[in-house]
Amino acid sequence: LHAGANRMYAIGGLVAVRPRAKRCTRWAARTRAQAATRPDAVAQVFEGRETTYGELDRRASQVAQALIADGCKPDARIGFMGKGSDRYFEMLYGAFKAKAVVVGVNWRLAAPEVAYVLNDSRTEILFVGAEFYDLVEKVLPECPTVRKVIALDGGRNDWQSFDDWRDAAKAEDPMLPAAPDDDVIQLYTSGTTGHPKGVQLTNANYISVFKQGTDWANWSPDDVVLVCMPLFHVAGVNIGVLGNLYGCRNVILKDVDPLVILKLIESEKLTVAFMVPAVILFLLQQPSLASTDVSSLRQILYGASPIAEDVLLRAQDTFKRAGFVQLYGLTETSGGATHLPPEAHDPAKGKLRSCGIPNPGMDIRVVDDKGEDVPTGEVGEIVIKGGSIMKGYWNRPEATTDSIRDGWFYSGDAGFFDKDGYLFIHDRVKDMIVSGGENIYPAEVENALFGHPAIADAAVVGVPHEKWGEAVKAIVVLKPGEQATPDEIIAFAKTRIASYKVPKSVDFIEALPRNPSGKILRRELRAPYWEGRERMVN
């Protein structure tokens, strides 16, 4: 980032190095820099379609000009509702050049929720993938700010296709100035309680993310990076952008499909992959894994939800050549906070359940309900401070003030520091089970259950109990062909965790509900057991 007389500066969303005398403050420079030095190198691959860095930069300029021609002023919101695609990054970098703000729309939302996000963000132009044409057409009458829809995959007579819209514009970079505090991306939180909130991420936030990556993203133009997370999720955006920052060859996946991922590891010789723990688990369960050459993978990044220790150990044994790095962060921290380096993945060090140490430039504390630091080893709420903390929640000043206090972001995650300064996360504070006055964290119980040879997947929730207030219930997915009784699972858990944490009952289910980032939707699992009660706490 700093080399001799050179300095880091941002242009349109990515980082470049230039002489000190030539300073710029915009975010898309890396496409420019890569296009100038390596125009014929492949920037991204999607379903067999390759785009070079020269083509990516030119197309980004065309998108920028098309947005400006369509009346998008600086700070205008443009929406994206589509699955993984190379066109997303053309649109993203074009938006950076035009100083528009990209709003990621969760395609798993119901129609009223989609309408809420579009209206709340005041989206003006909406880019839509073919899978969601009908849904968007349904909600458009309720979204007065949306004045144009671009069909990413064409095939819609009443909407202009992305390719035609882009190619009608000239490939001239507008070179608009920008400031560190300018918004570049707006992503919406999951909205498990009330409406989702728009998280404003800025140029400065992403400069911090790039600096934080210097401790774990030792990537180079020789790397081939898997981009498979949903693009309304901060991890999906970040991995793609970081891949371009380092001049890598990004392989973009439309959907998370374990079989396809295994094929791509072998055919594309993937070297770097970010996967949520659920996807790692699904890969390990694929019969074809045994015959797949995975030796090209040199780094596996994981995060977004806790990982069971047994799953991590099996993954390390399977992907023997890969260094594992856990990343912890939230949308509100631009995805950056801590990392668990490869050397800490040695089981003998006792850190496998840790999310690691603070990234460069990030300060982390664990506090009680009064905001005071708790002693080492005691559980409290994780609070985070640093350059990647969001500007705020869009049009939610009270929510912003409640979440960011004296510069510290209150994460809602419960955890503790050990004596070596490693952070351990138990779970979300709101998912904590209180049984007989004892605090029980679902992830800890789930970690114990995953060691059972018949269990493929498991979730733990609190259910009403007349004596103890709440009782621990395990909801289990069995491996194909395997059998186990509730009593057997409970007995197994007693050998691994304290008796008060052991599930008092076990239910079986075909598959656990998860969000696109792999997090278990505990609220959906809890709901049937709390029907008829005013709130899901006893």
Side-chain angles (χ1 to χ4, degrees), residues 395-411:
N395 287 334
R396 299 284 190 91
E398 292 182 2
T400 301
T401 301
D402 183 59
S403 295
I404 303 176
R405 307 170 209 167
D406 297 324
W408 293 91
F409 171 70
Y410 282 66
S411 70

Side-chain angles (χ1 to χ4, degrees), residues 31 176 224 228 230 293 346 360 379 408 434 442 453 506 523:
T31 55
L176 300 178
V224 184
C228 68
D293 180 4
D346 178 354
V379 176
W408 293 91
V434 181
V506 179
R523 189 177 182 85

Side-chain angles (χ1 to χ4, degrees), residues 192-389:
T192 54
T193 55
H195 286 303
K197 300 185 288 290
V199 176
Q200 297 170 263
L201 304 181
T202 67
N203 280 313
N205 290 154
Y206 269 93
I207 293 302
S208 173
V209 170
F210 300 152
K211 290 179 179 178
Q212 292 177 51
T214 59
D215 266 18
W216 51 265
N218 57 335
W219 306 351
S220 78
D222 294 328
D223 278 310
V224 184
V225 179
L226 176 67
V227 181
C228 68
M229 288 290 290
L231 295 172
F232 58 79
H233 189 282
V234 70
V237 176
N238 288 8
I239 295 300
V241 170
L242 282 168
N244 291 146
L245 168 70
Y246 290 103
C248 306
R249 176 187 175 104
N250 282 352
V251 178
I252 302 167
L253 205 57
K254 186 174 188 177
D255 288 296
V256 176
D257 185 325
L259 285 175
V260 173
I261 291 174
L262 288 178
K263 290 177 181 178
L264 287 174
I265 292 172
E266 193 167 72
S267 64
E268 292 285 347
K269 303 300 180 187
L270 297 177
T271 62
V272 176
F274 177 94
M275 295 178 285
V276 297
V279 175
I280 293 175
L281 173 63
F282 298 155
L283 285 182
L284 295 175
Q285 294 171 346
Q286 298 304 312
S288 61
L289 176 60
S291 59
T292 302
D293 180 4
V294 298
S295 62
S296 62
L297 276 174
R298 69 171 190 83
Q299 186 182 58
I300 294 178
L301 308 156
Y302 63 97
S305 62
I307 189 167
E309 191 169 325
D310 279 57
V311 173
L312 181 55
L313 289 170
R314 286 164 52 201
Q316 290 187 93
D317 186 58
T318 301
F319 302 98
K320 297 182 186 296
R321 294 192 177 184
F324 280 70
V325 179
Q326 181 178 169
L327 301 176
Y328 165 64
L330 302 94
T331 306
E332 290 90 341
T333 69
S334 311
T338 73
H339 71 287
L340 184 69
E343 59 269 21
H345 282 73
D346 178 354
K349 295 186 176 181
K351 309 300 184 187
L352 288 183
R353 294 183 59 203
S354 169
C355 64
I357 54 179
N359 290 337
M362 302 300 287
D363 294 318
I364 298 177
R365 297 162 52 214
V366 178
V367 303
D368 59 22
D369 55 7
K370 296 179 181 178
E372 301 294 330
D373 291 351
V374 301
T376 298
E378 288 194 14
V379 176
E381 183 173 0
I382 297 167
V383 297
I384 307 167
K385 190 174 188 178
S388 63
I389 301 300

Side-chain angles (χ1 to χ4, degrees), residues 9 14 28 46 64 99 171 196 226 261 270 281 341 386 393 411 443 510:
Y9 72 96
L14 298 169
F46 175 71
K99 292 190 63 176
L226 176 67
I261 291 174
L270 297 177
L281 173 63
Y393 292 116
S411 70
E510 290 294 321

Side-chain angles (χ1 to χ4, degrees), residues 1 7-11 14-18 29-30 32-33 245:
L1 293 174
R7 72 183 306 164
M8 182 186 73
Y9 72 96
I11 315 182
L14 298 169
V15 174
V17 175
R18 286 288 190 269
R30 202 59 199 167
R32 298 189 185 110
L245 168 70

